[in-house]
Amino acid sequence: MVKLLENIVFRLRPIILIGLLIFTCITGFYALQLRMTAGFDKQLPVGHEYIQTFTEYREQLFGSNRIIIVLEPKQGDIWSQKFFKVYKNLTDDIFFLPGVSRHTVTSLWTPNTRYIEITEDGISADDVISGRVTADSMTQANLQKVQSNVIRGGFVGRLVADDFGSAMVVAELQDFDPSTGTNLDYFDLAAKLEAQIREKYETDEYTVRIIGFAKLIGDIADGAKTVVIFFALAFVLTALALYLYARSIVLTAATLFASLTSVVWQFGLLTFLGYGLDPLAVLVPFLIFAIGVSHGVQQINVVTAEIAEGADSETAARSAFSRLFVPGSMALVTTLVSFATLYLIPVPMIRELSITASIGVILKVVTNLIMLPLLVSYLRFGEDFRARVHSSREFRLKIMRSLGFVANPKIAPFVLVFATVLFGIAVHEAMNRHVGALHAGAPELRPEARYNLDSTAIAHDYALGLNVLIAVVETPADSCVTYSYMKYLNQFSWHMQNVPDVTLVASLPFAIKGSAAGWNEGNLKWKDIPRNRPALAQAANTVPNSSSLYNQTCTLLPHSFYLRDARATTIKAAVDAVKEWREANPMEGVNIRLASGNMGVQAAVNEEITETELPMMMWVYAVIVALVMLTYRDWRAVVACCLPLTFGTFFGYWFMEVLQIGLTVATLPVMVLAVGIGVDYAYYIYNRVPYYMGEGLNISDAFRQSLQEAGMATFFTALTLAVGVSTWAFSDLKFQADMGLLLAFMFMVNMVMAVSVLPALAVTLDMIFPRKRPVARQKSAPVH
């Protein structure tokens, strides 16, 4: 069947190549129109319990998609007329930013910031900064009044730093721009936050700190622009390495051209289908390029081997096509399934990444298994090239012959035992790995990034910050004035207040306790839930509705838990504490639901990754088992190809634990790609073994011969790609640096598994479960 396909493809060489050239021009036109896209809703796992709660109460609860801007004088505190004038202008400018939900803008200057106190004349409530006071009329007396109001209203640690060293403006964002009716352009908003806020207000006297999803995605996009530099560096290193291997400029150019062509097709098809490129998926094109280089090196290996033996370019290209089409197709199908399984994670951003990567892998079948051999068939090579290739191949064959000892029946079991011991250690260490971020701040950026420095400073000075987890509490009507409900929820609030890394709990029971004390001259003995219904109603009515601690019918009582950071362990501890409480303390009529707030969204993403990781891997391995069994009809081949791959996967998890890299949206595709690339190595090395055994060789000699053919190409591919991606370690984006280190490690460890454990395992299995020796064919193909 492969021979028939070979004859058809090479007979139609001109037509196929012209057709592909036309297709490249069309997709290239669309590729130039590809743009980066980002959206908050793309982070939300579809159908997850937490997201259902978030969506249901999205218009009533805030905190999931907010920006926080802090104005900090470099000298002294905030209690000066000059500071408040700048602070007022800052608040006004934020009010008019695109996508800002204006009624949620909160600062000391906004009318939704009110204080309440109990006096001898009754309840006194007013704006923290009176409406009669302007920025120009802020006298010393007014400043003292504002300071008193801030303290009495409990805004220290919320809108004003604990040490009065800065003041905050908070605003919620909508995922669409009300002024245009279109989706909010987060990159444009991030640019405006820099140009219209930071550059305008950050001077020799003031520091401006900005955090939030919009700012983060903008910083990631800015960092992603440097990705081009690292891509170029990796491309140059790959090109040099390919030339050293192929000893031919035209062969190197053809291989790189085929790999880049599929990327152009990929970009064009994405634009045509209406997709953009998410900043967190910006590395996917290089992964696709790396896959192409991996298969291209195998093609070059066969072509140069044939030319070294005297074949012309068309014969060499035909040989490469026929010998590599089956293992190459198997490898690409496996890689395709690996990326396709990412679609199991119901997060639109990850699903978009899955589609982006899958399209690229499908195109590799055409560019690397068909187009590249056709291009090579038109090349011409002189005798000097043949001599150079022959000399370099002899050197590589000597190295591979020395590596053939792993297939020695006397040595193979020891190699396998050693690898198994390491595998056991890796499994034990992998148990400690985490899903989600493992460090404070944004895991996509380095600790010294401006965003993370701002985030750390705000977390240090404020109890109220960006990291909020909201538990939605559904209760019967009028529960605000029912003692049993308030007592129950007060116990819940107190339980959460004592959870490590929960810096602040905002809930109606806590507010009522403060109000009750206020009604009794501030005596802390009265800071409790009043048992008497009128007294409870009196305390509850003092809590302003703008506090978002209850709705008008008292059927919704959200509890907001502000976390110290966004680490996976911090989020999980808070979520588990809520679950443990509601399971251990059920109350009829009260339903505690998780979760809203940006930490609720992140918790949902972490849980989805945890739940779908194993099914994803099982699907990938199921496809590998099916393909190997269908191709080789031997269960020993299935074990020999899958087990080293499993070893490599757990070594990768061990590596992640050592370097403290969490399994996130950024690193998950790396582990999936590692499986795809790892099985490529296994397919290419094992593919020639059945052929040589059919020639009458035993399995040990068959593996030695196969290693001589494909082993050096496998080693070279892994080394080249590892060197290329290792340059990412110097990127400003931490997730790119993590991906580079992890990819480099996985490329190398899977190569080591393929050239050592795979032969050792196959030989050991054949010793334990010997197979019938096939009768040697009468006529054999030349062995190179």
Side-chain angles (χ1 to χ4, degrees):
M1 190 170 65
V2 173
K3 191 66 179 176
L4 175 63
L5 182 61
E6 174 197 327
N7 290 330
I8 294 174
V9 167
F10 278 83
R11 191 174 297 126
L12 300 175
R13 282 187 300 171
I15 298 175
I16 293 175
L17 289 177
I18 292 174
L20 294 179
L21 176 61
I22 295 172
F23 184 71
T24 302
C25 294
I26 296 173
T27 53
F29 171 76
Y30 284 103
L32 294 174
Q33 304 174 40
L34 184 68
R35 296 293 181 268
M36 280 193 181
T37 59
F40 180 79
D41 284 2
K42 290 168 66 175
Q43 302 181 89
L44 308 181
V46 179
H48 193 278
E49 171 198 349
Y50 305 167
I51 304 306
Q52 290 176 347
T53 302
F54 166 80
T55 304
E56 184 175 344
Y57 292 102
R58 185 169 191 170
E59 299 302 320
Q60 302 175 58
L61 302 176
F62 304 102
S64 299
N65 188 12
R66 63 171 43 161
I67 54 172
I68 293 177
I69 299 93
V70 169
L71 183 66
E72 177 182 318
K74 294 182 178 180
Q75 300 291 334
D77 55 31
I78 66 173
W79 306 116
S80 68
Q81 191 261 355
K82 185 176 182 181
F83 173 85
F84 272 84
K85 185 173 183 179
V86 176
Y87 186 41
K88 177 66 166 64
N89 294 335
L90 174 65
T91 302
D92 292 342
D93 284 352
I94 292 170
F95 188 81
F96 293 103
L97 286 173
V100 168
S101 183
R102 293 179 179 177
H103 71 281
T104 68
V105 177
T106 305
S107 82
L108 297 181
W109 279 106
T110 55
N112 56 1
T113 305
R114 298 175 62 82
Y115 76 95
I116 297 176
E117 66 175 340
I118 310 300
T119 68
E120 62 271 16
D121 298 322
I123 298 177
S124 173
D126 199 358
D127 297 341
V128 170
I129 300 179
S130 172
R132 296 183 296 274
V133 176
T134 65
D136 293 325
S137 65
M138 183 67 76
T139 63
Q140 193 62 36
N142 288 333
L143 286 172
Q144 291 177 356
K145 176 65 174 175
V146 171
Q147 183 174 359
S148 175
N149 294 345
V150 166
I151 296 172
R152 288 181 294 176
F155 295 107
V156 177
R158 297 172 63 187
L159 288 179
V160 175
D162 293 333
D163 60 355
F164 299 137
S166 63
M168 176 186 291
V169 184
V170 182
E172 298 291 333
L173 297 178
Q174 306 173 72
D175 214 32
F176 66 95
D177 188 346
S179 61
T180 62
T182 59
N183 289 336
L184 177 62
D185 186 341
Y186 281 91
F187 305 122
D188 175 66
L189 176 58
K192 284 183 167 62
L193 285 170
E194 281 294 326
Q196 299 179 14
I197 302 298
R198 197 192 300 275
E199 291 181 10
K200 180 178 180 180
Y201 292 100
E202 187 163 86
T203 64
D204 294 337
E205 298 180 74
Y206 299 103
T207 298
V208 176
R209 305 190 186 280
I210 308 174
I211 59 175
F213 172 77
K215 189 67 182 74
L216 173 61
I217 206 69
D219 288 357
I220 292 174
D222 290 340
K225 295 175 183 177
T226 64
V227 169
V228 177
I229 299 174
F230 292 101
F231 280 1
L233 180 59
F235 180 83
V236 170
L237 291 175
T238 302
L240 290 174
L242 279 173
Y243 176 75
L244 290 176
Y245 189 85
R247 300 303 176 92
S248 168
I249 294 178
V250 290
L251 268 181
T252 301
T255 305
L256 294 175
F257 176 77
S259 297
L260 287 175
T261 299
S262 66
V263 176
V264 174
W265 294 358
Q266 179 188 24
F267 285 171
L269 290 176
L270 284 175
T271 304
F272 182 78
L273 295 173
Y275 290 98
L277 191 62
D278 193 277
L280 290 177
V282 72
L283 300 178
V284 170
F286 183 81
L287 300 184
I288 301 304
F289 173 76
I291 293 172
V293 171
S294 174
H295 292 277
V297 170
Q298 297 291 344
Q299 298 275 352
I300 288 178
N301 186 57
V302 175
V303 168
T304 54
E306 293 290 336
I307 291 176
E309 296 298 323
D312 59 26
S313 58
E314 182 176 348
T315 303
R318 281 177 172 269
S319 179
F321 179 91
S322 60
R323 285 168 56 176
L324 300 179
F325 189 81
V326 169
S329 299
M330 290 172 62
L332 289 173
V333 168
T334 305
T335 307
L336 172 63
V337 172
S338 300
F339 279 122
T341 55
L342 288 173
Y343 202 83
L344 295 175
I345 302 177
V347 178
M349 182 175 62
I350 299 181
R351 287 184 167 178
E352 189 175 301
L353 184 151
S354 172
I355 293 172
T356 302
S358 298
I359 290 174
V361 173
I362 292 173
L363 297 174
K364 286 298 174 190
V365 176
V366 179
T367 57
N368 284 86
L369 301 184
I370 297 177
M371 187 178 81
L372 180 56
L374 293 183
L375 291 175
V376 171
S377 68
Y378 282 103
L379 302 179
R380 294 293 177 264
F381 304 99
E383 288 300 323
D384 57 336
F385 172 73
R386 200 184 308 274
R388 291 199 309 271
V389 168
H390 186 80
S391 175
S392 62
R393 278 187 56 80
E394 283 300 317
F395 174 74
R396 294 198 291 263
L397 288 175
K398 288 180 182 179
I399 298 176
M400 286 297 104
R401 289 190 191 104
S402 63
L403 185 62
F405 77 93
V406 296
N408 188 319
K410 295 181 180 180
I411 297 176
F414 294 100
V415 174
L416 188 59
V417 168
F418 178 73
T420 304
V421 171
L422 288 179
F423 174 66
I425 298 173
V427 171
H428 178 267
E429 293 296 327
M431 300 294 288
N432 299 322
R433 69 184 178 85
H434 295 280
V435 173
L438 295 180
H439 305 282
E444 296 84 2
L445 303 175
R446 291 189 179 275
E448 64 273 15
R450 177 63 189 269
Y451 183 92
N452 280 336
L453 293 177
D454 288 350
S455 179
T456 301
I458 292 173
H460 179 268
D461 294 335
Y462 294 83
L464 181 153
L466 190 66
N467 307 317
V468 59
L469 173 70
I470 301 177
V472 177
V473 181
E474 299 170 336
T475 61
D478 297 329
S479 58
C480 299
V481 292
T482 304
Y483 175 74
S484 58
Y485 293 129
M486 288 298 98
K487 178 184 176 182
Y488 172 75
L489 293 179
N490 177 57
Q491 292 171 344
F492 174 52
S493 299
W494 180 250
H495 171 74
M496 294 303 299
Q497 181 69 68
N498 289 278
V499 173
D501 293 325
V502 172
T503 60
L504 176 70
V505 173
S507 68
L508 182 61
F510 275 14
I512 285 176
K513 288 165 64 177
S515 178
W519 278 105
N520 292 275
E521 300 178 348
N523 193 325
L524 294 180
K525 292 182 179 180
W526 294 94
K527 192 173 184 180
D528 201 355
I529 305 295
R531 295 173 181 270
N532 181 273
R533 188 180 181 93
L536 178 56
Q538 182 186 55
N541 287 335
T542 311
V543 180
N545 186 258
S546 60
S547 63
S548 301
L549 297 179
Y550 63 96
N551 63 355
Q552 290 184 344
T553 58
C554 281
T555 57
L556 174 65
L557 307 177
H559 286 48
S560 299
F561 313 119
Y562 291 90
L563 309 183
R564 190 175 306 280
D565 52 56
R567 292 183 297 174
T569 49
T570 302
I571 299 172
K572 188 176 186 302
V575 170
D576 289 346
V578 174
K579 291 179 178 179
E580 290 169 5
W581 169 262
R582 71 182 182 185
E583 290 174 7
N585 303 277
M587 185 175 189
E588 186 176 355
V590 178
N591 184 23
I592 301 176
R593 296 175 58 180
L594 287 167
S596 188
N598 62 331
M599 293 297 95
V601 172
Q602 190 58 55
V605 173
N606 291 346
E607 289 186 8
E608 287 291 356
I609 291 177
T610 301
E611 292 175 6
T612 55
E613 182 192 8
L614 181 59
M616 286 167 51
M617 288 299 184
M618 296 303 292
W619 273 108
V620 173
Y621 276 93
V623 170
I624 295 173
V625 169
L627 287 174
V628 175
M629 196 67 190
L630 181 65
T631 304
Y632 302 118
R633 315 292 177 88
D634 184 3
W635 66 268
R636 300 173 190 80
V638 173
V639 175
C641 289
C642 289
L643 200 56
L645 192 61
T646 306
F647 284 16
T649 300
F650 276 91
F651 288 150
Y653 289 146
W654 185 9
F655 183 78
M656 291 175 67
E657 172 60 22
V658 171
L659 265 65
Q660 288 293 286
I661 299 174
L663 192 64
T664 63
V665 173
T667 55
L668 185 61
V670 175
M671 297 306 296
V672 174
L673 175 68
V675 175
I677 292 289
V679 82
D680 289 359
Y681 301 155
Y683 287 155
Y684 281 119
I685 288 178
Y686 194 90
N687 183 60
R688 297 295 287 173
V689 172
Y691 172 82
Y692 287 121
M693 293 184 71
E695 294 294 318
L697 298 179
N698 59 39
I699 190 168
S700 181
D701 292 335
F703 259 109
R704 288 194 181 97
Q705 194 65 41
S706 183
L707 283 173
Q708 291 183 47
E709 282 195 28
M712 180 52 73
T714 300
F715 174 80
F716 173 82
T717 300
L719 183 62
T720 301
L721 296 180
V723 170
V725 298
S726 64
T727 60
W728 297 0
F730 302 100
S731 171
D732 292 335
L733 298 177
K734 188 177 185 301
F735 83 93
Q736 185 188 5
D738 289 344
M739 288 181 72
L741 293 173
L742 188 55
L743 270 174
F745 177 82
M746 294 305 297
F747 285 149
M748 294 303 295
V749 77
N750 277 312
M751 178 273 294
V752 172
M753 293 297 105
V755 300
S756 61
V757 177
L758 171 58
L761 178 59
V763 171
T764 303
L765 285 174
D766 200 67
M767 292 166 57
I768 301 173
F769 305 101
R771 68 188 83 193
K772 294 180 180 179
R773 298 299 178 196
V775 177
R777 298 185 181 92
Q778 294 299 317
K779 184 178 181 180
S780 62
V783 176
H784 303 307

